[in-house]
Amino acid sequence: MSAEPFRLPSGGAIDRTRTLAFTFDGRSYTGHPGDTLASALLANGVRIVGRSFKYHRPRGVFTAGPEEPNALVRVGEGARAEPNTRATMVELYDGLVAQSQNCWPSLGLDIWALNNLLAPLFPAGFYYKTFMAPARAWPAYERIIRRAAGIGAHVPHADPDRYERRFAHCDVLVVGGGAAGIMAATAAARAGADVMLIDERDTLGGHLRGERGGAEILLPYLRELAADKNVRLLPRTTAFGVYDHGTVALAERVTDHLGAAATPSLPRQRLWMVRAREIVIAAGAIERPLVFAGNDRPTVMLASAVRTYINRFAVLPGRRAVVFTNNSDAACTARDLTAAGVEVAAVVDARAGQAVVATTGRSLRAVAISSIDDAGRPIDASRWIDCDLLAVSGGLTPSVHLHSHTGGKLTWEETIAAFVPGTGAANIRVCGAARGVFPLADSLSDGVRAGGVAAQALGLKPPALDLPACAPEEPWSIRPLWEVKSARNMRGKRFVDLQDDVTADDLELAVRENYRSIEHVKRYTTLGMGTDQGKTANLNGLAIVAQRRAETIATVGTTTFRSPYTPVALGALAGPETGKYFEPIRRTPLHDWHAAQGATFVEAGQWLRPRAYPRPGESFNAAWRREVLSVRGTAGICDVSTLGKIDVQGPDATAFLERVYCNGFARLPVGHGRYGLMLREDGIVLDDGTVTRIGERQYFLTTTTSNAGRALAHLEYLLQAVWPELKVRVASVTDQYGQIALAGPRSRDVLGKVADIAVDSAALSFLGSAVTTIAGARVRLLRVSYSGELAYEIAIPAGHTVAVWEALLVAGQEFGLAPYGAEAMAAMRIEKGHAAGAEINGQTTPADLGLARLVSTKKYFVGRRLLERPAMADAARPTLIGLTPVDGVTPIPAGAQLIADARAKPPVKMLGHVTSATFSPTLGRPIALALLTGGMARIDETLVAASPLDGVSVAARVVHPVFYDPAGERLHD
Amino acid sequence: MIDTPVRITARGPLDIAQVAAFGDPAQTAARLSKHFRLTITPAPNRAIVAGDLTVLWHGPGQWLIARAPAATQLADDLAELFGEDAAVVDFSHARAALRFEGDGARDVLATGTSIDLRPAHFSPGACALTALGKIDALLHAVAPETIDVYVARSYAQAFVEWLDAPVISS
C-alpha cells in the first residue's frame, strides 16, 4: 500500500512539496504541512483512533473541529505529553508522537471492551445504584471504576514549557474569523475602531475553508485587515470565557504546532486578558449528529467534516459513502463526495421519511435503511447498503456559549430547530451562524451589520461596504429528527453523547426515574460532562428528554454554559509566575552586604532577611547561638529594615493615634518614642510596634514586618471611611529608610564613637529619640530594645544604610561588635517573652498576651467596645506563659498541644499549645512560649507538650514567660 | 511578538517627595502650581513635566514630585512652603525609576499590567498607579514612545528580574 492511500492526488490546502513524519501508537506515518493529526491519520487509512469512555467501543474521527468528542489522543512524550488532545485541532509537525488513550493492552484488543457486553449493568447512574451498598466498600469500587473509565492519564511531571500572559485593550473584539467575523471586523476597522480578530484555527476563513472553493472570497478582506495597523489578527487563539465589563480570556497556542522546530524564545501558549469595549461573537455553528442504532462506529462522520476532509485536506474518509441528513445539507455533501471520486451509494433524507436504522462492522461496513414515521419509528423492512463512510447531519447548532457566559438568554428558533441568542450583555453582538443565520450571503451581511452596530456604539460612523459575490444557495430547511427508534431485531446502542457514552435509553431511564431538571438529568447520566462539554450532544439530548416528558424543548431549556469553552492548559492559566518567579523578592538596602558575608537568608513574607552569619566551618546553630551571646555579652547589629514604617502627620495626628492605639499617646513629648499596641475593631491585637513623636504634628511608626501592609491599610481605612474629618495623612516610608538595631551592653560605646551628639543616659534615656549624623547621613535614633539589652534603632535614608552599617562595624570592632541575624533576634525575643507573629495570631487580646496593663481605661480607642465582651475576659482564655523542659534538655516542639497527662485516652482535653520554641543560648537550655488555659495561675505545674505528628511528648514546667532579666534592668541602664 | 527594540535605562539620581493635602486638594494644587509656575490640578492620573521637574498624581489630593537633586532637599523646600497645610514626606530614597523607550515599550509593559496602554488611551501626560506583574508601580507616559516606571526601592531588583525573566518573549 502506498503512503497516504486515502490522499487525493491534487487539491486541498496542504503543501505536497513537504512531507512530515509522525507516529501514532508507535507506527510511522506521513502527512503534509496543512494537515491536522486527524486528517493525516485518515489519509493513512487509520480509522480507529480511540476507545470510548464507558463501553470501550472503537471510535474514529467524528468531526474536523474543536467539538471533537471521539478522537482524543495523547500528544508528545515524557513531561511534554498532553492527554485528551483533540486530533482534529492538532496541527501536524515533523516528529509528532501521538498515542491512543483508554485502551489496554492495545487499541485493537481492549479488554475493557467486555464492558460493552455487560452494558445492561451500566445504565445511567450506575455508580449510585450498583455500588451504594455496603457504603464502606465504595472506595474500593471507586478505584476499579476509575481505572476502567476515565479518559487519558495525567502526566506526573513538572511542565517544562513556558507560558506568557498578555493584557490587551481594543474597541472591538471579534471572536471567530469566518465569513461573518471577517466582515464584522472589516466594518469596524473601516469605521476607525481598534480591532482584534481571533480564531481558534490555524488560519482565518472559518467553515468556508472546508467547502469547495475555500475561503477565496474572503481573501481581499483578510489582506486589508492584515495591513491595517489598528487591527490585530490572532489565529490559533480560543476565546474561552467572557466575563463582566467586556473582559474576554483568550488562550493562544503560540508554538504547539511547531514541535521541535519551535523558537526557544517563544512561549508554548499565551493567555490574553482582553478588555474590549464592544464584543462581536461570530463563533459559527456546530453540526449535530443524528441518533440511531450504531451511530458511533468508525467511520460515521459529520457531513461538514466529510466535506472538510475532502476539500481542505484532500483526504477521502471512505470510498463508498451514504449520506444521512434531515436538512438541506444533503445535496452539497453528495456533490463534494462525487466530485472527489467517492461513490455515493445512497442519500438518506429524513425530510423524505427515510432513515438509517442500523450499522455494522468494526469499522463501518454497511448501513440499514428504512422508512420511518413522524416519531422516528421504522415502518418497513430495512435494506442493507454496503459502505465504508456514513456522513450524518442533524442540523446546525449555533455556538451560543460565549453569549451565555455573561448571562445572555436563549430563544428557541423553530425554523432551524435550535436555540439562538436572545437578550444579552449590552456590548455583545452575535452574528452569522452563531445567531442562526446560515446561508453565506446572509451571514456576510449579518457580519457587516454587527460590525457596524459595534462601531456605532463607539460613536463611529459605520462605513458602506460591498459584500463579496457568492453562489446562490438552496434555502435552508430542516425536519427535526431527534432520534431514530431501533428497528425490530436490529437493536444497537443509540448514542447521544459519544464522549461520555450516553445513549437515548439512558436519558429515557433518567426521565422514567423522575429526574425533572435538565441539570439533574445531565449529572445523573453524564450527558455533556466530558472534555467536549457535549458540543455535539446536548441539543439532541435535551430534545429527547423533552419528547419523553411531552414538553417543548424551550420548556426543558439548556444546561448552563460555563467557561472554559474548550479545555485550557493549566500552565497557561498559571502563566509565567511559577517557581522562583512566583513571588517577587523584596530586598533590604543591606542585602548585598549580607550575601557577600555568606549570610543564610530566611523568607519573611516577600522579604529576604539574613538569618545568621556562619563563619567558615561554623554550623548554622553554632552561628546564631554565638550571635546571641555576642549581643548579650558585648554588642551586635541587626538589619531590621523589613519593619513596616509609616509617616503620620497633620494637625490631628495626636488625636488620631490616641484612637488607633489602645495605650495612651496624648502626653508623649516630641523626641520620645513609645511602644504601641493596635487592636482590631473586635478587640483582638492587630499589630505592635514603636511610635516616635518626631514633631509637634508628626510621628514615625514602626510595625512588624509581616503586618506592615495590614497596619497601613487599617490606618488608611480609618482615615478615609471612619474619620474623614481628621486632618491627618499617612504614608508608607518602609522603602525610604533602612533600619539597624544596635544592641548590647556596649552599644552605647559604639554609638558614642560615631554619633555627633551626646548619647549618654541623660541625653538619650530609654525611649528617647534624637537626630544625628553617622557616616555623613542624617539618621534618627530611638533608644528601644527588642533583645532586652541596652539598644538603639537607627533609621537611615535607605541609600546610606550600608555606609552607616559599615561605620558601626568599624567603631564596634574594639568591643567585639558582630552582626546578628533573624534567628538570634527571634531567640532573644523568646528569652524576653515578647509576643510576635505566633502569639499575635488574630485570636489573642492584650490580656492574653500579658499586656492588659497597657490598655487605657481613660479613652476611646478602636477595639475598646468589643474588648468589653464577657468572653474576652473569660478566665479560661489561653494566655501567654513560658515553658521549660522538666529534664532541662529536651526541646519542646513548637505547635505541640499542651495536655495534662501523656497516658490519657482520647479524646484528650487540650489545655493550650506551644507558640514559639528555641534553645536559649543565654540560659543553656530549651525554652518555649505557649498559650495556656488558666495561664499564669498554673505557674510551676507540670504539663505534657505533645506533638503526635513528630511522635514526641515532653514533660514541661509552666514558668513566667520572661526568661531573661524579668525586671528589665539591662535596658533601662 | 515584541519584535521592536526597547531601551531600558535607570533614571536618576532623583530627589522625590510626596505632597498630600489635609483639606481641599484644589487649594494644595493651586499652591503647588504657583510655586512651580505650572498648572497642576487634582485631576487623577495626570502628570506634568517641566524641565527636570515632574509632578505625578499619586492618589486623591496627593502628588509625587521628582526633580534632579539641588542644593536643598525637595522635601524640605516643600515642607517650608506648606507649613501645616499639607503633609510632605521625603521619598528620595524610596523609589527606583526606570525609563522604557522605543516602539516596543508599551508591549513590554502590557505583559504585566491590565491598564490600557494604547497610545490613544495612555498618551503623554498620563500616569497610573498599577502593578507590573506582582509589583506595585507608577507608570508615566512621558512621550509617545517613552514611559517611566517608578517602583519601590526594595522591589527594584525583583522588577529587573521580572523584566529579565522568561516572562516576555523578544
Side-chain angles (χ1 to χ4, degrees), chain B residues 77-100:
Chain B
D77 296 351
L78 291 168
E80 197 181 316
L81 172 70
F82 282 103
E84 289 172 357
D85 296 336
V88 178
V89 184
D90 183 11
F91 267 29
S92 55
H93 291 252
R95 294 286 181 272
L98 293 176
R99 174 157 289 182
F100 288 69

Side-chain angles (χ1 to χ4, degrees), chain A residues 23-179:
Chain A
T23 69
F24 179 65
D25 281 348
R27 286 188 61 180
S28 298
Y29 300 99
T30 60
H32 301 285
D35 263 326
T36 62
L37 176 58
S39 69
L41 286 170
L42 289 169
N44 285 281
V46 178
R47 293 284 180 266
I48 301 172
V49 295
R51 289 275 179 168
S52 74
F53 172 66
K54 198 156 93 181
Y55 303 122
H56 288 249
R57 289 165 69 103
R59 292 282 166 82
V61 174
F62 189 68
T63 75
E67 69 271 31
E68 177 62 34
N70 275 349
L72 301 183
V73 298
R74 185 182 184 90
V75 173
E77 294 174 290
R80 285 203 160 78
E82 187 168 26
N84 297 337
T85 308
R86 293 154 296 167
T88 52
M89 294 299 284
V90 175
E91 291 173 53
L92 196 68
Y93 53 81
D94 201 42
L96 184 144
V97 176
Q99 256 174 330
S100 60
Q101 301 183 146
N102 215 22
C103 320
W104 187 84
S106 72
L107 188 56
L109 178 71
D110 175 358
I111 61 164
W112 290 111
L114 288 174
N115 283 356
N116 201 16
L117 304 176
L118 303 176
L121 298 180
F122 293 136
F126 76 102
Y127 301 106
Y128 311 109
K129 288 174 183 148
T130 318
F131 300 104
M132 281 305 280
R136 197 168 267 223
W138 167 244
Y141 291 135
E142 190 186 21
R143 221 172 32 245
I144 293 162
I145 291 170
R146 293 248 181 261
R147 192 183 309 153
I151 317 167
H154 86 292
V155 180
H157 306 290
D159 189 336
D161 287 313
R162 265 188 341 93
Y163 299 86
E164 231 180 67
R165 184 171 306 130
R166 185 76 52 102
F167 297 92
H169 296 254
C170 63
D171 297 331
V172 182
L173 172 70
V174 181
V175 178

Side-chain angles (χ1 to χ4, degrees), chain A residues 244-328:
Chain A
D244 288 345
H245 310 301
T247 303
V248 185
L250 317 178
E252 181 188 4
R253 302 181 304 280
V254 183
T255 58
D256 276 358
H257 61 292
L258 297 174
T263 315
S265 66
L266 286 174
R268 181 189 166 214
Q269 295 185 2
R270 190 180 281 133
L271 181 77
W272 292 78
M273 295 303 293
V274 178
R275 188 81 181 267
R277 291 169 71 194
E278 291 287 322
I279 299 167
V280 175
I281 296 172
I286 290 172
E287 194 161 41
R288 289 194 293 274
L290 286 162
V291 177
F292 53 93
N295 62 342
D296 67 326
R297 244 176 257 285
T299 331
V300 177
M301 193 182 279
L302 289 178
S304 58
V306 168
R307 296 199 301 275
T308 299
Y309 287 116
I310 291 171
N311 296 321
R312 183 168 134 207
F313 299 107
V315 167
L316 297 181
R319 305 220 185 263
R320 186 178 152 87
V322 170
V323 178
F324 177 23
T325 155
N326 66 347
N327 60 68
S328 41

Side-chain angles (χ1 to χ4, degrees), chain B residues 47-143:
Chain B
I48 294 175
V49 179
D52 69 356
L53 181 79
T54 305
V55 181
L56 301 142
W57 186 82
H58 206 229
Q62 235 163 261
W63 293 269
L64 195 73
I65 303 173
R67 72 169 187 207
T72 53
Q73 190 90 18
L74 177 61
D76 294 342
D77 296 351
L78 291 168
E80 197 181 316
L81 172 70
F82 282 103
E84 289 172 357
D85 296 336
V88 178
V89 184
D90 183 11
F91 267 29
S92 55
H93 291 252
R95 294 286 181 272
L98 293 176
R99 174 157 289 182
F100 288 69
E101 288 170 290
D103 275 355
R106 290 167 188 270
D107 284 341
V108 168
L109 296 172
T111 62
T113 178
S114 61
I115 65 167
D116 191 350
L117 291 180
R118 284 178 294 165
H121 295 81
F122 196 68
S123 52
C127 67
L129 289 159
T130 179
L132 285 171
K134 293 181 177 176
I135 297 171
D136 286 349
L138 170 59
L139 305 191
H140 171 207
V142 180

Side-chain angles (χ1 to χ4, degrees), chain A residues 608-665:
Chain A
L608 277 186
R609 308 186 63 172
R611 193 173 182 195
Y613 302 85
R615 290 171 178 167
E618 190 180 39
S619 72
F620 165 73
N621 277 337
W624 71 260
R625 289 174 188 184
R626 167 182 53 74
E627 291 165 15
V628 168
L629 296 174
S630 154
V631 174
R632 296 266 185 250
T634 53
I637 49 173
C638 183
D639 180 3
V640 292
S641 303
T642 61
L643 294 177
K645 306 173 205 85
I646 301 171
D647 177 274
V648 178
Q649 50 175 306
D652 298 321
T654 305
F656 176 58
L657 294 182
E658 272 284 79
R659 299 180 194 181
V660 165
Y661 287 104
C662 71
N663 51 324
F665 279 89

